[in-house]
Amino acid sequence: MSRVWNFSAGPAALPEEVLRQAAEEMLDWHGAGMGVMEMSHRGKEFISIAEQAEADLRELLAVPADYRVLFMQGGAIAENAIIPLNLLGERDTADYVLTGSWSVKSAKEAARYGKVNLAASAEASGWTSVPVLESWQLSADPAYLFVCTNETIGGVEYAADPDLARIGRAEVPVVADMSSHILSRVIDVSRYGLIFGGAQKNIGPAGLTIVIVREDLLGRASPHCPTAFDYKTVAEAGSMYNTPPTYAIYIAGLVFQWLKRQGGVAAMEARNIAKARLLYDYLDGSDFYENRIDPVCRSRMNVPFFLKNEALNDAFLTGAREAGLLQLKGHKSVGGMRASIYNAMPIEGVAALVDYLKTFAARHG
Amino acid sequence: MSRVWNFSAGPAALPEEVLRQAAEEMLDWHGAGMGVMEMSHRGKEFISIAEQAEADLRELLAVPADYRVLFMQGGAIAENAIIPLNLLGERDTADYVLTGSWSVKSAKEAARYGKVNLAASAEASGWTSVPVLESWQLSADPAYLFVCTNETIGGVEYAADPDLARIGRAEVPVVADMSSHILSRVIDVSRYGLIFGGAQKNIGPAGLTIVIVREDLLGRASPHCPTAFDYKTVAEAGSMYNTPPTYAIYIAGLVFQWLKRQGGVAAMEARNIAKARLLYDYLDGSDFYENRIDPVCRSRMNVPFFLKNEALNDAFLTGAREAGLLQLKGHKSVGGMRASIYNAMPIEGVAALVDYLKTFAARHG
């Protein structure tokens, strides 16, 4: 089979250029006589790969100097515990904004380590909207405020960085799960105390977790925090307290270089806006399909949609597969369909999806 | 450069056949139209890869049916915390056998979660021997007995599976860190309660941790254990509570298939014996080099050695590199040299090393 259009929510499509380079370098990286997977993480070759990856990520996101970039393991789900284990410190409460499946899961895990104050919740909307910043009810002295800025399953996204100064709480560090939209748009890192994400959606292979953390938040870990997940220990060891997921860091680094060749995050954001508009505009104009998310908070990365006649779901998916459009089935908790259109999905892929949507609607409408 | 002989202690050399197959399948796995890195972990393609990997590992190690195989993240260092968090249960003590750097680190981390009884220690020997089973002093009712069956840095290895029945303590589960010799020799899994290892030495890429655990040890996790590292949760979710390190599992699976083509673990053990003998016999017969480890517990995987005239160390390493023999420098805590000769190192690589040792000695002796 030739390459398909892969709409998986994650692990997800990677740029073909990146995969070709990885394949070419598999047995011999830059004349080293060995592949990246075979290199000691303490050797000069791999250290140069990791340093370049960090430098490129810093450049792409304009990470300020007082933030540390950590390459960790365990994914966003492990971070749900690692974050309270590191950041609660002497405080007993953390504030959580609930916007869908992932933030609910994050809050539930945090409640195992401290008191969770629900600052806001979109549950009453059926997770089709997000609570606006002005509605967030922070507790008196939270260790941090947690928000998932893009919900992969529900398909909602905060359109702007949360600026707690606007509600008079600038002192509270914002912790953001950006797993499924990191690097898809320009962000102001200084608005956050900590940004984290599993790599397997918009960065690279599963098994790598990116953490960007403000230095003053290091050193507060609980005695129950495994040393390998103590941010201060990880930072001081340059992400090499334990052997890091070296190959995943290498692939992430190739993706960062690809992003720079694409013009960086601002250029990627413009493409992502165009891709999302193409798909949402078609869905909105159709009587056959629908997207149920409040337009002000629709995700540019994860687009859930429904056939109005759900009896046609199986035929839709079968036809999509025949047309080379894969992994469009919606998450089981939502149903319907979902198209994840991360950075690595070109507009041609979205156009192919819209063509198929039209053809299928015309045949069955 | 052509492929070198890579003696890295880990991440380490992988079989060239495995790397070639991975490169060929990078953009399109078995006609799926996508690479393994891009596949949803919940799709039928990846599930078939993970199931085959587990089945092959079970076959290679003859894992009994009442043991679960878990694919985790965080490496052996994270397991140093994850193990007491999972296994202490209502007991307050775990017994540790100290044989070198890694078991010392394991015991230190465990002491953060409970009481550590030092059942035995080889420290007085300068870590050049291992305490025999009959000398182990177990506590009255330990949650488990921890042993590192092969110390990567020191180069010592227990020659046989520890059988606690021989000291009348069959009820105590043995927890073994086998990171650097798993799959290098036939073992009796039933002698152990839990076996674990980071993949990056004898299995595959860094970022994957293999855990083989007897079912009755599941379900004892502390309330402080992150859910993503609760063995019971991981087992019940088929290692997919969080997104597993999919590509690392795929590479490990290719290594397992390669091992089967080599004749399995027994055949590999015979080769490893021959490889180790070739190197140790030369070292022992030489006046120029020495290995300081008690012959009864010399590691077949990690061979530390010294030039008797250490002023020649730099010249030795420079000449080795020129001869295509890489990563021979010893661990900084031990000094000298170290040759790691895992499964993926063929006897031709060891022979090339011995040739170089002879040539260098002849020139400088």
Side-chain angles (χ1 to χ4, degrees), chain A residues 1 3 28 38 109 227, chain B residues 1 3 28 38 109 227:
Chain A
M1 194 173 199
R3 297 268 298 169
D28 185 10
E38 306 176 287
E109 183 78 355
T227 307
Chain B
M1 198 174 197
R3 297 270 296 169
D28 184 9
E38 306 175 288
E109 183 79 354
T227 308

Side-chain angles (χ1 to χ4, degrees), chain B residues 134-218:
Chain B
E134 288 70 17
S135 72
W136 297 2
Q137 299 288 323
L138 272 62
S139 58
D141 186 28
Y144 57 88
L145 178 288
F146 183 103
V147 59
C148 177
T149 45
N150 185 81
E151 287 273 1
T152 324
I153 292 175
V156 297
E157 178 174 11
Y158 274 100
D161 298 312
D163 177 7
L164 293 195
R166 282 176 45 210
I167 53 171
R169 299 303 299 274
E171 81 286 1
V172 178
V174 176
V175 170
D177 179 355
M178 293 195 185
S179 295
S180 47
H181 75 155
I182 192 168
L183 292 164
S184 73
R185 72 184 205 199
V186 174
I187 57 168
D188 179 354
V189 173
S190 74
R191 294 266 186 256
Y192 302 88
L194 186 147
I195 290 166
F196 72 102
Q200 70 271 15
K201 294 162 191 297
N202 223 0
I203 293 180
L208 170 65
T209 316
I210 304 277
V211 175
I212 302 171
V213 56
R214 214 173 58 209
E215 277 175 351
D216 66 289
L217 297 174
L218 302 176

Side-chain angles (χ1 to χ4, degrees), chain B residues 101-125:
Chain B
S101 299
W102 287 107
S103 46
V104 167
K105 190 173 268 206
S106 299
K108 193 174 162 195
E109 183 79 354
R112 301 178 64 227
Y113 299 99
K115 189 160 165 281
V116 165
N117 170 56
L118 295 184
S121 173
E123 187 172 11
S125 76

Side-chain angles (χ1 to χ4, degrees), chain B residues 217-240:
Chain B
L217 297 174
L218 302 176
R220 304 180 183 187
S222 148
H224 299 296
C225 184
T227 308
F229 302 119
D230 179 331
Y231 293 142
K232 184 163 191 274
T233 300
V234 176
E236 287 178 350
S239 298
M240 296 200 189

Side-chain angles (χ1 to χ4, degrees), chain A residues 1-4 6 8-16 18-20 22-24 26-28 31-45 72-75 77-78 81-82 85 105 109 112-113 200-201 204-209 222-230 241-248 251 321 326-327 332, chain B residues 1-4 6 8-16 18-20 22-24 26-28 31-45 72-75 77-78 81-82 85 105 109 112-113 200-201 204-209 222-230 241-248 251 321 326-327 332:
Chain A
M1 194 173 199
S2 58
R3 297 268 298 169
V4 297
N6 174 9
S8 172
L14 286 166
E16 208 170 303
V18 165
L19 296 176
R20 285 193 194 286
E24 281 163 17
M26 182 66 81
L27 281 91
D28 185 10
M34 61 183 102
V36 175
M37 240 180 266
E38 306 176 287
M39 289 175 182
S40 168
H41 55 301
R42 306 218 181 265
K44 65 178 169 34
E45 295 88 353
M72 298 184 66
Q73 298 183 49
I77 291 184
I82 294 168
L85 279 165
K105 189 172 268 206
E109 183 78 355
R112 301 178 65 229
Y113 300 99
Q200 68 271 16
K201 295 162 191 295
L208 170 65
T209 316
S222 149
H224 299 296
C225 184
T227 307
F229 301 121
D230 178 331
Y241 176 74
N242 55 359
T243 309
T246 51
Y247 198 73
I251 297 289
R321 175 167 270 277
L326 262 58
Q327 313 217 50
K332 60 186 181 213
Chain B
M1 198 174 197
S2 58
R3 297 270 296 169
V4 295
N6 173 8
S8 173
L14 285 165
E16 207 171 304
V18 164
L19 295 176
R20 286 195 193 284
E24 281 164 16
M26 182 66 80
L27 280 90
D28 184 9
M34 61 183 103
V36 175
M37 239 180 267
E38 306 175 288
M39 290 176 180
S40 168
H41 56 300
R42 306 218 181 267
K44 65 177 167 33
E45 294 90 351
M72 298 183 66
Q73 299 182 47
I77 291 185
I82 294 168
L85 279 165
K105 190 173 268 206
E109 183 79 354
R112 301 178 64 227
Y113 299 99
Q200 70 271 15
K201 294 162 191 297
L208 170 65
T209 316
S222 148
H224 299 296
C225 184
T227 308
F229 302 119
D230 179 331
Y241 176 75
N242 56 358
T243 308
T246 51
Y247 197 73
I251 297 289
R321 174 168 272 276
L326 263 55
Q327 314 217 46
K332 60 185 180 215

